[in-house]
Amino acid sequence: MGKWIGRPSPKSLRAGSGWFAELDRVYSSEDGQYAVMTRPVETEWGQVIHACIRNVGGTDISWAEKQRIKNELLGTERTAIEVFPASADLVDETNMYHLWVLPAGMELPFTIKV
C-alpha cells in the first residue's frame, strides 16, 4: 500500500471556474508519482466523490493502478465508475482520469461477478 499526503485544495485551484473550482482535497503519493484531486457532488443518489487522477509523466494509468488508488484513498468497499461520455459531452484536454465514487453501500444494478 502506498502512502498519501492529503491537504485542502489550494485557493488557487478553487479560484477557477466550473467543476475545477469545486475541488476540495488534493492528495499526492509519497513517491510523487500521482496526484489526485477530489470534490463532493450532491446527486439524486446521495453524495458522489469525483476523483481526478494524474501521474507525473502524463501517461496512461492502468486499471489496476486506478483501482489501487481508489482503494487507498476512498475505500476498498466503495464502488467507482469511470465514464466514457457521448461525443457531444467529451472533454479531453489533458491526460487525467475521472472516477465517480458512489455513496458508501451503494451497489450498481449490474456486475461481472459470478
Side-chain angles (χ1 to χ4, degrees):
M1 293 288 191
K3 291 191 177 185
W4 294 89
I5 301 161
R7 59 194 176 282
S9 181
K11 290 183 183 202
S12 61
L13 289 180
R14 293 190 303 249
S17 60
W19 64 266
F20 201 72
E22 298 171 1
L23 296 170
D24 68 343
R25 298 284 301 163
V26 176
Y27 300 90
S28 53
S29 57
E30 190 173 59
D31 64 5
Q33 184 175 1
Y34 293 103
V36 180
M37 300 174 288
T38 63
R39 70 182 177 115
V41 179
E42 294 302 327
T43 74
E44 63 188 60
W45 297 344
Q47 189 179 80
V48 171
I49 302 297
H50 176 198
C52 313
I53 304 170
R54 275 193 67 119
N55 64 11
V56 172
T59 59
D60 194 25
I61 301 172
S62 72
W63 178 90
E65 279 296 285
K66 289 183 270 189
Q67 175 74 8
R68 180 182 67 80
I69 291 166
K70 187 272 307 174
N71 285 348
E72 291 176 1
L73 292 177
L74 300 157
T76 59
E77 297 306 312
R78 300 283 295 270
T79 298
I81 300 170
E82 186 173 15
V83 176
F84 294 85
S87 292
D89 296 331
L90 182 63
V91 176
D92 190 15
E93 297 174 4
T94 186
N95 206 5
M96 181 179 285
Y97 298 88
H98 300 269
L99 298 182
W100 304 89
V101 184
L102 302 178
M106 183 175 183
E107 295 182 12
L108 294 173
F110 53 87
T111 182
I112 57 173
K113 184 178 172 183
V114 180

